[in-house]
Amino acid sequence: MVSGEYHDGRSTRIRRVQVMLEGDQLSWRGDDVQGAAQLVQVNVSARMIGVPFTLRLPNGAQLQIAHDDMPGDWLRGRHRIETLVDWLERKRWVALASVLVIGLSLFGWLEYGMPWMADRIAARMPQRMDVAMGQQALTLMRGRMLLPSHLPAERQAHLRELFDRFSRNVTGLPAVHLAIYDSPSIGANAFALPDGTVVFTDTLLKALPDDASFIAVSAHELGHLAYHHQMREVMRNVGLTVMISMAFGDVTSLSGISAAVPTFLLNNHYSRAFEADADDFAFQALARQGIDPIAFADAMHALERAHPGAADGREVRYMSNHPLDAERIAKAEAASRQFRKL
């Protein structure tokens, strides 16, 4: 027998009653009220810690019994999931473990899950979307950061011929073309846009020592295109924004992502893994066309010589976006030794 409250469902009056269970029959008796019902006809609320049980009776009335007063054997076999949850809520170690699991799951999703999904989406993105984003980015930069080149027309024509000849024999590429601009704000730099445009600045071209080093840098940028690094990086960057917008129901902010894509492209800094993939692609592409991969290291060293230690406090933009380190140089030298053995 337990104490409870009886609500008739027609008034706000509360009656104190004693509730009993005899066999399969539930009965109650108290202030001017009594009754009985088969337990199977009683709809019992789920167990929630700190919340009274509500027993809804067939006639529309209700019995309420304090959470801790309800005998466990009265509801045996009913609300098994809620009973398990109630038991788990009472265990401090379970709560701490839940926080840890949620934290690890969130870290795993951001570190591995979202990049994996972003890569799959980027790989299946229609080519027309790549073209539209690349052209939009180029339009945004042209006239602001990208100005008409001051290189002689003969030099530009020669470089385009070299680039076209080399890229035609590289498999796995979209339609690509070379664009040359002067850019005092960007400095020595080269980058590839999703539509297949490979941009070189005058400053970078003047720093490169020969045609082979130009082709080596071109091969690296073509590697970014072949592996869809631009769109993969963009999707990884906007993925968290999409998740937050959807979580808070702010769907209107999602429309601004497409407009922000060129900004991601302009300020892109590839991960070390993406840079390594593009390097390997370049070394193999160079070797297949009879060009010693040491030309890649020559290009990086030439940039260092042209800008020794960034004496004026300004770093070389290309080496900022494509960091030069001993490991990458060592890989280029190893690829060169392998090439010379062939």
Side-chain angles (χ1 to χ4, degrees):
M1 180 182 297
V2 297
S3 298
E5 296 177 350
Y6 179 83
H7 303 258
D8 60 18
R10 296 185 297 272
S11 68
T12 58
R13 183 181 178 185
I14 300 176
R15 297 180 175 90
R16 300 294 302 178
V17 294
Q18 297 295 314
V19 186
M20 297 162 287
L21 180 64
E22 298 178 349
D24 292 332
Q25 181 168 284
L26 186 75
S27 60
W28 56 93
R29 179 174 299 173
D31 300 337
D32 301 326
V33 64
Q34 63 178 3
Q38 293 295 315
L39 187 59
V40 294
Q41 297 178 310
V42 178
N43 185 5
V44 185
S45 66
R47 181 185 293 272
M48 295 183 63
I49 188 169
V51 179
F53 281 94
T54 298
L55 286 68
R56 296 178 178 84
L57 305 173
N59 62 359
Q62 293 182 358
L63 293 170
Q64 288 192 353
I65 301 174
H67 180 275
D68 294 333
D69 291 343
M70 175 67 79
D73 59 348
W74 283 22
L75 303 178
R76 185 168 295 159
R78 304 181 69 173
H79 301 297
R80 294 180 179 177
I81 296 178
E82 289 83 354
T83 301
L84 175 61
V85 172
D86 177 71
W87 178 82
L88 292 173
E89 287 178 339
R90 295 172 183 270
K91 305 298 181 181
R92 181 174 298 179
W93 67 268
V94 173
L96 295 175
S98 299
V99 172
L100 180 62
V101 169
I102 292 173
L104 291 175
S105 299
L106 182 60
F107 172 80
W109 167 250
L110 294 176
E111 186 71 15
Y112 302 105
M114 191 163 62
W116 180 89
M117 185 176 69
D119 290 351
R120 299 306 178 278
I121 293 174
R124 290 165 175 77
M125 190 169 292
Q127 178 65 23
R128 64 178 180 275
M129 187 170 294
D130 289 347
V131 171
M133 289 182 179
Q135 292 177 349
Q136 185 178 5
L138 191 59
T139 300
L140 181 65
M141 291 184 289
R142 191 183 292 123
R144 297 180 178 88
M145 288 173 282
L146 299 180
L147 307 176
S149 173
H150 296 297
L151 291 181
E154 296 80 6
R155 174 65 174 162
Q156 293 188 47
H158 174 68
L159 293 174
R160 287 193 174 91
E161 182 182 356
L162 288 176
F163 180 88
D164 292 343
R165 186 191 311 153
F166 179 79
S167 61
R168 278 196 300 267
N169 296 311
V170 178
T171 59
L173 295 177
V176 297
H177 64 277
L178 175 67
I180 302 173
Y181 293 95
D182 183 34
S183 182
S185 61
I186 295 179
N189 206 352
F191 53 88
L193 295 173
D195 66 334
T197 301
V198 177
V199 176
F200 274 76
T201 65
D202 286 0
T203 308
L204 178 60
L205 290 171
K206 291 176 182 177
L208 295 176
D210 51 32
D211 290 347
S213 61
F214 163 73
I215 291 297
V217 175
S218 299
H220 177 89
E221 298 305 326
L222 293 176
H224 287 310
L225 283 172
Y227 293 128
H228 303 282
H229 286 164
Q230 303 92 342
M231 295 310 304
R232 289 165 67 182
E233 201 74 60
V234 168
M235 295 305 298
R236 290 182 181 193
N237 283 326
V238 303
L240 184 59
T241 303
V242 172
M243 288 178 58
I244 294 174
S245 299
M246 294 181 67
F248 288 94
D250 184 17
V251 295
T252 58
S253 67
L254 297 180
S255 61
I257 292 176
S258 59
V261 166
T263 303
F264 285 112
L265 291 170
L266 299 182
N267 299 307
N268 206 3
H269 289 250
Y270 293 116
S271 67
R272 291 186 65 88
F274 283 0
E275 290 292 350
D277 288 344
D279 285 350
D280 292 339
F281 181 93
F283 301 153
Q284 294 173 19
L286 291 168
R288 290 193 190 101
Q289 299 194 41
I291 302 173
D292 192 333
I294 200 63
F296 181 80
D298 292 342
M300 298 298 102
H301 286 310
L303 286 171
E304 283 188 315
R305 289 192 297 271
H307 304 269
D312 60 354
R314 298 176 59 188
E315 62 183 347
V316 184
R317 184 64 182 270
Y318 189 80
M319 288 189 288
S320 172
N321 287 0
H322 304 73
L324 175 64
D325 55 35
E327 182 181 352
R328 296 182 70 190
I329 295 298
K331 287 178 62 177
E333 292 172 346
S336 175
R337 289 192 295 270
Q338 185 66 30
F339 170 79
R340 294 171 184 176
K341 291 179 182 178
L342 298 179

